[in-house]
Amino acid sequence: VKEVKEVKEVKEVKEVKEVKEVEEAKEVEEVKEEKEVEEVKGEVKELEVQKIEEVKELAEEVKGEVEEEKKEVKELEVQEMEEEKEVKELEVQEVEERGVQEMDEEKEEKEEEKEEKEKEVEE
C-alpha cells in the first residue's frame, strides 16, 4: 500500500512538474511573442515617422517650387506691364510725331498759299 501511495505521489509530482513546465513554456512563448509584437510596433512607428518626414520634405519642396513659380509669374507680369508701357509710349511718340509732321505740312501749305497769293498779287 505504501508503494502504491509512493507511486501515486511520484506520478502526481511528475504531472505537476510537467504542467508547470508546459505553463512556463507557454509564458516564455507569450513573452517572446509580446516582445516581437512590440518590436514590430516600434518598426511600424519608425516607418510612420519616416513617412511623415518624407511627406514634410516633399511638401517643403513643392512649397518652394510653388513660391518660385509665383515669383516667376510676378516677374513676367511686371515685364509684360513694362512692355505695354513701352508700347504706349511709342504710340504716344508716334502720334506726337504725326502731329508735328501734320503741323509742318500745314505750315508748308500755308507758305505755299502765301507764295501763290504773292505771285498773283505781283501778276
Side-chain angles (χ1 to χ4, degrees), residues 3 24 26 34 42 44 47 55 63 86-87 91 100-101 105 109-110 112-113 119:
E3 284 179 26
E24 286 176 7
K26 281 183 183 178
E34 285 177 20
V44 167
L47 289 173
V55 167
K63 185 178 176 184
E86 286 178 26
V87 167
E91 288 173 348
V100 168
Q101 191 176 5
E105 288 173 2
E109 283 178 21
K110 284 183 181 177
E112 286 175 8
E113 286 176 18
K119 278 185 183 178

Side-chain angles (χ1 to χ4, degrees), residues 36-86:
E36 288 177 7
V37 167
E38 289 303 314
E39 285 178 17
V40 169
K41 282 183 181 178
E43 290 173 6
V44 167
K45 192 71 173 173
E46 284 179 30
L47 289 173
E48 287 174 346
V49 168
Q50 188 178 349
K51 281 293 178 192
I52 289 171
E53 289 301 315
E54 288 175 8
V55 167
K56 283 181 182 178
E57 287 175 15
L58 287 174
E60 285 299 315
E61 278 182 39
V62 169
K63 185 178 176 184
E65 290 173 7
V66 166
E67 290 299 317
E68 193 64 33
E69 287 179 10
K70 282 182 180 178
K71 190 176 172 183
E72 289 175 15
V73 166
K74 283 278 188 210
E75 289 173 358
L76 288 173
E77 288 173 347
V78 166
Q79 185 178 348
E80 184 179 1
M81 287 169 50
E82 288 173 353
E83 289 172 357
E84 287 174 0
K85 185 178 173 185
E86 286 178 26

